[in-house]
Amino acid sequence: MATNRTFTMIKPDAFEAGNTGAILKMIENAGFKIMAMKATQLTPQLAGKFYEVHKERPFYADLCGYMSSGPIVAVILEKDNAVEDFRTLIGATNPANAADGTIRKIFAKSIEANAVHGSDSDENAALEGNFFFSQAERVS
Ligand code: CMP
């Protein structure tokens, strides 16, 4: 079944480079609506919790350090077929493999500093959105 919500983070590299606005513009131009948004900075512990699914991966410690190294912007997005369409818009995890015109192709610096996160399933989109936003902080 097609879903209508996904979750994204503008990562520290894109925030620091001043690309938040340009990335949000691409997201809105692709038909997504912003249903919740905030700038914040994760602690290493919170980054570890958010990325717990990757805790056995060799890059986990670096990822947690990186994701807590500076501000991020957390966003809940709505659109028909949101999870899949957003993953198409952002492109492959490794920007070297990302298609032309995708957010990661344009803005990402490396596989770790890859500009944006995008949920990989409906279930994770809901979990990740709830990680950052209470019911009162998002359009329900
Ligand atoms: P993201 O979509 O946020 O989900 C997990 C993140 O781990 C991923 O983007 C990358 O930024 C990061 N990462 C770092 N190294 C790797 C790797 N070798 N393979 C996959 N993801 C990696």
Side-chain angles (χ1 to χ4, degrees), residues 57-125:
R57 309 285 290 275
F59 57 81
Y60 179 69
D62 281 351
L63 176 64
C64 296
Y66 172 66
M67 288 301 297
S68 57
S69 67
I72 58 99
V73 179
V75 192
I76 294 175
L77 295 167
E78 188 166 285
K79 180 185 181 296
D80 287 348
N81 202 34
V83 167
E84 189 182 337
D85 286 2
F86 191 71
R87 287 173 74 80
T88 300
L89 177 67
I90 65 179
T93 303
N94 186 344
N97 302 327
D100 285 346
T102 60
I103 289 173
R104 284 172 171 157
K105 184 69 172 190
I106 296 167
F107 297 106
K109 295 180 165 62
S110 68
I111 193 167
E112 181 173 84
N114 64 351
V116 287
H117 167 78
S119 304
D120 63 3
S121 66
D122 301 347
E123 187 188 5
N124 284 336

